Amino acid sequence: MNKKITVSWRKIESLCNKICKKIKDNNIDIDNIIGISRGGLIPATLCAKRLNVRRVYSIGLMSYNDGDDYETRTPVPTIYQCEPMSTHFSKNTLIVDDISDKGNTLNFLRHGMLTPPTFFKKDRLFTATLYKKKDTLFHPDYYGKLAPEKEWLVFPWER
């Protein structure tokens, strides 16, 4: 099993601030935020507050079978909850998750489920994660910090 590292609330807030600063520095006005349940819900809410976004949605995906460790990861995420898509998504939308580990979840959303032309325009759909692994298959548009390769991050909402 990999070593576990506990992430503090202070670190979460710092990483959300960093992500939002990068978005603002790029002069992108975000109209909607989608938090990926479970890990992305709190960071999505924090980013929404910092970016003054009122439309916050959620989508529920499972990427692990029975536990939250590398041994139970699934190759393709399973959707268990999805809010109805709306015309608001033709505007700038930010998808937020806690980590891009292998990248399966964000890749599934960005290049599969959420990109039919009736829902999103690809140039208006952005992704952000608190952490990303160096070898992830999906590189989010914005991230707070590179994650250590061999460690398992434990977020405050997982304790």
Side-chain angles (χ1 to χ4, degrees):
M1 182 196 261
N2 295 324
K3 178 182 173 188
K4 292 186 177 186
I5 296 178
T6 301
V7 181
S8 71
W9 281 110
R10 181 173 286 169
K11 187 65 175 177
I12 299 300
E13 290 193 44
S14 172
L15 295 173
C16 286
N17 289 342
K18 186 176 181 180
I19 290 165
C20 292
K21 182 178 182 334
K22 289 178 186 178
I23 291 169
K24 289 177 182 179
D25 287 349
N26 285 325
N27 294 316
I28 297 172
D29 292 321
I30 299 296
D31 302 292
N32 311 289
I33 292 181
I34 300 172
I36 300 175
S37 179
R38 296 177 310 199
L41 293 179
I42 292 171
T45 301
L46 293 172
C47 287
K49 185 69 173 171
R50 284 152 179 78
L51 295 171
N52 196 29
V53 175
R54 304 291 290 176
R55 288 189 167 96
V56 181
Y57 303 87
S58 66
I59 185 165
L61 294 166
M62 284 190 283
S63 296
Y64 297 88
N65 285 327
D66 296 322
D68 288 334
D69 58 41
Y70 288 111
E71 289 77 32
T72 65
R73 183 180 300 133
T74 60
V76 177
T78 302
I79 301 168
Y80 65 86
Q81 178 263 326
C82 185
E83 293 188 24
M85 298 296 146
S86 91
T87 57
H88 300 296
F89 290 117
S90 62
K91 298 181 179 182
N92 291 340
T93 299
L94 178 68
I95 299 173
V96 180
D97 205 358
D98 52 359
I99 188 168
S100 184
D101 190 348
K102 289 292 183 190
N104 293 342
T105 300
L106 288 167
N107 192 52
F108 174 74
L109 290 174
R110 179 71 165 92
H111 298 294
M113 183 190 160
L114 296 181
T115 53
T118 55
F119 294 146
F120 293 98
K121 295 180 180 174
K122 286 189 181 204
D123 61 339
R124 292 181 169 259
L125 185 61
F126 304 94
T127 55
T129 59
L130 298 175
Y131 290 90
K132 82 167 189 142
K133 296 273 179 135
K134 185 177 97 177
D135 294 330
T136 185
L137 299 176
F138 185 92
H139 296 277
D141 299 304
Y142 302 97
Y143 67 95
K145 185 176 181 181
L146 279 174
E149 286 302 310
K150 301 293 183 189
E151 283 83 12
W152 183 266
L153 299 176
V154 180
F155 295 99
W157 48 87
E158 296 175 327
R159 291 179 243 171

